[in-house]
Amino acid sequence: MTTPLRALRRHLWPPPLAGRPRNRGYLRDRLITLPLLTVVVAVTFGWAYGDVRTGSAELRDSFAPALVGLAEAETSLRIADREAEESLRTGEAVRLAGLSKRYSTRTTRAVQRLNQVARSGALTTAERQELDVVSGLVVDYGNWITFAQNNVGDPALRDAGLSYARSMLCSTPVPAKETDADGYPPCRPDTGSDSDATAVVDRISTLEDRLRGRLADRAALGGGVLAAGAVAALSLVLLAVGLWRTQLFLRHRLRLHVSVPLLAAAVPLLALPFLTADAVLAHRAQQRVVSTAEELAARTSPAVESTIDEQPFGERHPLLIQVLEERVRHDLAEGRLSSLDGVAPWVAPTGLLCAALMGGTLYAYRREYVLISRSGATA
């Protein structure tokens, strides 16, 4: 056991010149160890850095748009529901003039948002099927509102149509004229199991919960990323020490002032601190997106969202879905060094090229030393 451990230590931590290492053995060890450490650093760091960068892209292009779409679809339907009720109260006038423009705008927006969520790529196959059910319920909701509109002259049929439409939107029964603090009929999602999610709001809330969970998991640093980062950091320290001592060895033993090829192969390593800083910024931005996603689910409301209809050019409420969406985009845009965009896929290939350059250079030095030794001259 002692010999293999001693050999491993000699490879990973090269002896200083004071230890009087043999030239041939020293060059042989460096020929094996330095390229291998370079490959380990490049592959592990490149994978971890690429995973963090990819996470930001997935949050920006997939998870965040899906959550925003679901939140806006839910609030739009609740705004449309109150608009339908107020329009139906006008009696026969609604038969001729039709439902309010806001009702049509909000129901159309809800359908569009649900379609965008389906195309976002954030949902599983089962969740896309669930979303199809939601879209079908929204269509049926509109049909029952139309039924109430066509029978507006008969209060019993009108109220029955509106009541049935609301039962498709919200599973909790809504007593007549009861409203929440924000002035909208209560429509709290069922918090039971997935099988209890029957109405539109229930199903949308269930999808939101699943997406937020996956978003939080994607934003967290997984065990694989942490392990790869630790291996890359340790290997980088060993590589830096090995390169420094190899340069000293070549200067004192082979009379080379500096090895330009080895120096050139080490230059890309100077980019690692910048890549690390970029990864840290990206991870922090992802954590802020997780917090914003919680606000999106817990603090948005139809009352807040309707302010943009009433005052489209006024001061925007900080809890508007559009404002939260812009915050997510801003956080992810600021959470990176833009000059490093597109670098992640090239980290590992660049490391492999550096390893090849190191190996070729050290092989040439060792071969030259062996030839000189065989001719009888001592280096």
Side-chain angles (χ1 to χ4, degrees), residues 256-268:
L256 291 175
H257 184 68
V258 65
S259 175
V260 176
L262 284 183
L263 191 62
V267 166

Side-chain angles (χ1 to χ4, degrees), residues 195-240:
S195 60
D196 296 329
T198 56
V200 170
V201 172
D202 297 342
R203 295 174 185 270
I204 289 179
S205 296
T206 300
L207 290 174
E208 286 178 322
D209 289 341
R210 293 176 184 170
L211 277 177
R212 283 201 310 277
R214 291 208 297 274
L215 182 146
D217 291 341
R218 191 64 184 91
L221 292 178
V225 173
L226 292 175
V231 171
L234 177 60
S235 300
L236 181 60
V237 171
L238 296 174
L239 177 61

Side-chain angles (χ1 to χ4, degrees), residues 273-319:
F274 298 98
L275 297 177
T276 302
D278 184 53
V280 171
L281 288 174
H283 177 62
R284 289 179 178 176
Q286 292 169 17
Q287 295 305 304
R288 290 194 292 272
V289 171
V290 172
S291 300
T292 304
E294 295 295 334
E295 287 188 280
L296 196 62
R299 303 187 62 188
T300 55
S301 68
V304 171
E305 199 62 23
S306 64
T307 59
I308 198 170
D309 297 331
E310 298 163 358
Q311 298 179 348
F313 301 106
E315 184 178 355
R316 298 192 301 175
H317 195 284
L319 292 178

Side-chain angles (χ1 to χ4, degrees), residues 108-136:
T108 300
R109 183 179 300 179
V111 173
Q112 291 175 342
R113 281 300 198 174
L114 291 175
N115 291 335
Q116 291 172 3
V117 173
R119 297 192 300 268
S120 68
L123 303 182
T124 64
T125 301
E127 289 168 347
R128 285 197 300 271
Q129 293 174 349
E130 182 74 9
L131 195 66
D132 290 340
V133 174
V134 172
S135 298

Side-chain angles (χ1 to χ4, degrees), residues 16 39 47 61 65 78 106 135 145 158 163 177 187 254 294 301 329 336 347 356 363 370 377:
V39 170
W47 179 81
D61 300 332
R78 292 196 59 193
R106 283 293 177 174
S135 298
I145 293 296
R158 180 198 63 195
S163 177
K177 298 182 180 180
C187 187
L254 301 187
E294 295 295 334
S301 68
R329 292 177 180 172
R336 76 187 203 282
V347 173
Y363 176 79
V370 170

